[in-house]
Amino acid sequence: HMSKDDMAWFDCYDINDSVFFKSNKSDVDTLYVTNIQIFNSLNPINDNPNASSEYIAIGYIDFSIMHDGQELSGMFECKKITQDSLKISIVLDERFANNLMPKNIIRVSDENSSLSICNDQDNPIMGLGWSKSEGLLSYIFKDGMVYRKQK
């Protein structure tokens, strides 16, 4: 079961939010929140004898970023199995970071802390920052272009 503190990871956005990010060269990207789903209650009816009795609480924030005429898809996920600690995963375009520890600010800063799902991109996203209270803070491309959230 996700606690009130765990659930606070989803307070940074509402569905249909738009957030602007500005690059170090003044280019502007727009993030659109497309979906938020939270599954945090145990279904008392389980008629499948092969189903796991393990309780899993999970929530997602799905978003897309319009960048240079392209749509970059993203997802933020919090997951808690039984009463273990919360685990966080983040996907942005082809960059994937899994089993991150929930700190107030999470930084995915290099290839050692994340994986590239696809290796044929010329200028992939290399890192990002995510805040519990503000959501996506920044992201950086291989060419050094950094986009930061505009307040």
Side-chain angles (χ1 to χ4, degrees):
H1 178 113
M2 283 194 272
S3 68
K4 184 176 180 179
D5 186 57
D6 296 336
M7 296 291 287
W9 282 97
F10 301 99
D11 293 342
C12 57
Y13 294 121
D14 292 315
I15 295 175
N16 297 322
D17 277 356
S18 298
V19 182
F20 299 101
F21 290 80
K22 191 173 184 180
S23 77
N24 47 345
K25 293 186 178 179
S26 298
D27 295 330
V28 176
D29 285 358
T30 306
L31 177 147
Y32 299 98
V33 178
T34 56
N35 196 14
I36 299 173
Q37 293 189 25
I38 301 169
F39 303 96
N40 196 37
S41 61
L42 187 60
N43 184 349
I45 300 171
N46 185 353
D47 59 359
N48 183 346
N50 298 323
S52 170
S53 61
E54 189 172 50
Y55 176 71
I56 299 173
I58 193 165
Y60 305 91
I61 299 173
D62 294 317
F63 60 93
S64 60
I65 296 176
M66 291 308 297
H67 169 76
D68 199 25
Q70 297 180 35
E71 183 177 348
L72 309 178
S73 60
M75 182 191 66
F76 174 86
E77 174 191 271
C78 289
K79 185 177 191 178
K80 196 172 206 177
I81 300 175
T82 62
Q83 292 305 313
D84 291 346
S85 61
L86 194 67
K87 299 292 185 201
I88 293 175
S89 300
I90 303 172
V91 177
L92 180 52
D93 194 29
E94 301 294 339
R95 180 65 48 195
F96 174 70
N98 192 23
N99 289 325
L100 302 167
M101 296 308 295
K103 302 174 189 172
N104 284 336
I105 296 181
I106 297 172
R107 298 203 187 286
V108 176
S109 56
D110 58 30
E111 292 179 341
N112 294 326
S113 61
S114 63
L115 300 170
S116 178
I117 298 168
C118 176
N119 292 319
D120 65 355
Q121 291 182 314
D122 293 332
N123 190 29
I125 289 176
M126 299 302 290
L128 58 90
W130 190 283
S131 163
K132 182 175 185 176
S133 62
E134 296 184 53
L136 187 64
L137 297 173
S138 63
Y139 46 98
I140 184 169
F141 288 88
K142 186 176 183 177
D143 67 3
M145 185 79 73
V146 179
Y147 283 79
R148 289 185 172 79
K149 183 178 183 177
Q150 297 299 290
K151 307 267 180 182

mmCIF file of all heavy atoms in Angstrom, residues 22 30 36 45 59 72 80 85-86 114 116 136:
data_model
loop_
_atom_site.group_PDB
_atom_site.id
_atom_site.type_symbol
_atom_site.label_atom_id
_atom_site.label_comp_id
_atom_site.label_asym_id
_atom_site.label_seq_id
_atom_site.Cartn_x
_atom_site.Cartn_y
_atom_site.Cartn_z
ATOM 1 N N LYS A 22 12.989 25.473 -21.457
ATOM 2 C CA LYS A 22 13.794 26.353 -22.311
ATOM 3 C C LYS A 22 15.228 25.853 -22.321
ATOM 4 O O LYS A 22 15.791 25.515 -21.282
ATOM 5 C CB LYS A 22 13.734 27.786 -21.784
ATOM 6 C CG LYS A 22 14.314 28.802 -22.727
ATOM 7 C CD LYS A 22 14.045 30.207 -22.202
ATOM 8 C CE LYS A 22 14.532 31.246 -23.172
ATOM 9 N NZ LYS A 22 14.267 32.601 -22.666
ATOM 10 N N THR A 30 7.619 21.802 -25.091
ATOM 11 C CA THR A 30 6.410 21.762 -24.258
ATOM 12 C C THR A 30 6.119 20.332 -23.833
ATOM 13 O O THR A 30 6.067 19.435 -24.667
ATOM 14 C CB THR A 30 5.190 22.314 -25.030
ATOM 15 O OG1 THR A 30 5.503 23.614 -25.538
ATOM 16 C CG2 THR A 30 3.975 22.404 -24.116
ATOM 17 N N ILE A 36 -2.638 10.016 -15.919
ATOM 18 C CA ILE A 36 -2.155 9.675 -14.583
ATOM 19 C C ILE A 36 -3.037 8.547 -14.076
ATOM 20 O O ILE A 36 -4.258 8.675 -14.068
ATOM 21 C CB ILE A 36 -2.220 10.879 -13.616
ATOM 22 C CG1 ILE A 36 -1.336 12.020 -14.129
ATOM 23 C CG2 ILE A 36 -1.798 10.453 -12.206
ATOM 24 C CD1 ILE A 36 -1.460 13.307 -13.326
ATOM 25 N N ILE A 45 -11.573 -9.514 -4.714
ATOM 26 C CA ILE A 45 -12.045 -10.662 -5.482
ATOM 27 C C ILE A 45 -10.900 -11.145 -6.357
ATOM 28 O O ILE A 45 -10.443 -10.454 -7.247
ATOM 29 C CB ILE A 45 -13.261 -10.279 -6.354
ATOM 30 C CG1 ILE A 45 -14.401 -9.785 -5.475
ATOM 31 C CG2 ILE A 45 -13.686 -11.460 -7.206
ATOM 32 C CD1 ILE A 45 -15.537 -9.185 -6.237
ATOM 33 N N GLY A 59 1.698 3.363 -9.707
ATOM 34 C CA GLY A 59 1.121 4.558 -10.302
ATOM 35 C C GLY A 59 2.006 5.064 -11.429
ATOM 36 O O GLY A 59 3.224 4.841 -11.430
ATOM 37 N N LEU A 72 8.431 13.313 -28.088
ATOM 38 C CA LEU A 72 9.209 12.413 -27.251
ATOM 39 C C LEU A 72 8.286 11.904 -26.156
ATOM 40 O O LEU A 72 7.705 12.696 -25.417
ATOM 41 C CB LEU A 72 10.401 13.140 -26.617
ATOM 42 C CG LEU A 72 11.304 13.940 -27.545
ATOM 43 C CD1 LEU A 72 12.403 14.634 -26.750
ATOM 44 C CD2 LEU A 72 11.896 13.045 -28.624
ATOM 45 N N LYS A 80 5.292 -0.206 -5.492
ATOM 46 C CA LYS A 80 5.566 -0.740 -4.160
ATOM 47 C C LYS A 80 5.006 -2.152 -4.092
ATOM 48 O O LYS A 80 3.827 -2.367 -4.346
ATOM 49 C CB LYS A 80 4.915 0.146 -3.103
ATOM 50 C CG LYS A 80 5.423 -0.081 -1.708
ATOM 51 C CD LYS A 80 4.860 0.986 -0.778
ATOM 52 C CE LYS A 80 5.760 1.209 0.397
ATOM 53 N NZ LYS A 80 5.252 2.287 1.252
ATOM 54 N N SER A 85 10.186 -0.897 0.150
ATOM 55 C CA SER A 85 10.324 0.520 -0.147
ATOM 56 C C SER A 85 9.857 0.820 -1.568
ATOM 57 O O SER A 85 9.842 -0.044 -2.436
ATOM 58 C CB SER A 85 11.776 0.964 0.039
ATOM 59 O OG SER A 85 12.619 0.259 -0.847
ATOM 60 N N LEU A 86 9.490 2.054 -1.779
ATOM 61 C CA LEU A 86 9.020 2.526 -3.076
ATOM 62 C C LEU A 86 10.165 2.480 -4.081
ATOM 63 O O LEU A 86 11.302 2.836 -3.757
ATOM 64 C CB LEU A 86 8.524 3.967 -2.908
ATOM 65 C CG LEU A 86 7.696 4.558 -4.025
ATOM 66 C CD1 LEU A 86 6.356 3.847 -4.117
ATOM 67 C CD2 LEU A 86 7.465 6.038 -3.749
ATOM 68 N N SER A 114 21.450 4.661 -16.196
ATOM 69 C CA SER A 114 20.291 4.439 -17.058
ATOM 70 C C SER A 114 20.716 3.659 -18.300
ATOM 71 O O SER A 114 21.898 3.491 -18.565
ATOM 72 C CB SER A 114 19.664 5.775 -17.463
ATOM 73 O OG SER A 114 20.582 6.536 -18.226
ATOM 74 N N SER A 116 19.911 2.995 -22.608
ATOM 75 C CA SER A 116 19.295 3.465 -23.839
ATOM 76 C C SER A 116 18.553 2.287 -24.455
ATOM 77 O O SER A 116 19.138 1.220 -24.661
ATOM 78 C CB SER A 116 20.351 3.998 -24.801
ATOM 79 O OG SER A 116 19.739 4.412 -26.000
ATOM 80 N N LEU A 136 9.312 16.770 -13.771
ATOM 81 C CA LEU A 136 10.516 16.880 -14.594
ATOM 82 C C LEU A 136 11.110 18.277 -14.456
ATOM 83 O O LEU A 136 10.416 19.275 -14.667
ATOM 84 C CB LEU A 136 10.186 16.576 -16.058
ATOM 85 C CG LEU A 136 11.371 16.499 -17.014
ATOM 86 C CD1 LEU A 136 12.312 15.348 -16.650
ATOM 87 C CD2 LEU A 136 10.879 16.335 -18.456
#
